[in-house]
Amino acid sequence: QVQLLESGGGLVQAGDSLRLSCAASGRTFNNYPMGWFRQAPGKEREFVAAISWINTYYADSVKGRFTISRDNAKNTVYLQMNGLKPEDTAVYYCAAAKSARLTVPVIRSQGGYDYWGQGTQVTVSS
């Protein structure tokens, strides 16, 4: 059974940094697309960042502040978040795809992913 376990969330002040981790088990996702999405209270879940076997993708709102990376040996993907803002407050979800070849629009959409974690809360105070 595939499981994605997020960790690293917490309460921080504006300008601080956090690193989220997503450890996958039950299947190896080396070089398969993995992504981060987030959902703020009262809002729809939105794309944050994704990594394929060769490229990375970011939402405009986080570009230049967040960095997605992966450690294939650990079957883990990370999201380094710097310069956090109150509007980054949300539950952050990790996702993984079964297909290695997704188009860019699909990588940026929830529909491209087959497995989801339970989420980790990130709260940024002003």
Side-chain angles (χ1 to χ4, degrees):
Q1 182 178 357
V2 174
Q3 288 188 321
L4 302 178
L5 182 61
E6 302 101 333
S7 61
L11 171 63
V12 297
Q13 293 186 333
D16 286 351
S17 298
L18 278 176
R19 189 177 82 154
L20 304 183
S21 299
C22 173
S25 60
R27 177 187 170 127
T28 299
F29 288 100
N30 294 353
N31 300 323
Y32 283 72
M34 295 187 74
W36 289 95
F37 291 76
R38 67 186 181 186
Q39 187 167 19
K43 295 187 177 181
E44 294 185 353
R45 192 175 299 187
E46 64 176 4
F47 170 76
V48 175
I51 185 167
S52 67
W53 71 283
I54 194 172
N55 287 320
T56 57
Y57 309 87
Y58 298 95
D60 289 343
S61 60
V62 306
K63 198 173 296 182
R65 298 188 297 123
F66 291 10
T67 302
I68 189 170
S69 62
R70 69 196 308 163
D71 184 336
N72 286 340
K74 296 182 178 180
N75 210 19
T76 297
V77 65
Y78 304 97
L79 185 67
Q80 178 66 44
M81 305 186 295
N82 298 330
L84 283 161
K85 305 175 180 180
E87 51 264 42
D88 295 318
T89 295
V91 177
Y92 283 70
Y93 297 91
C94 174
K98 287 195 294 187
S99 174
R101 303 181 72 85
L102 300 180
T103 63
V104 172
V106 174
I107 281 180
R108 292 176 171 270
S109 69
Q110 296 182 58
Y113 297 89
D114 304 282
Y115 307 103
W116 291 85
Q118 292 300 306
T120 185
Q121 177 71 46
V122 172
T123 302
V124 184
S125 63
S126 58

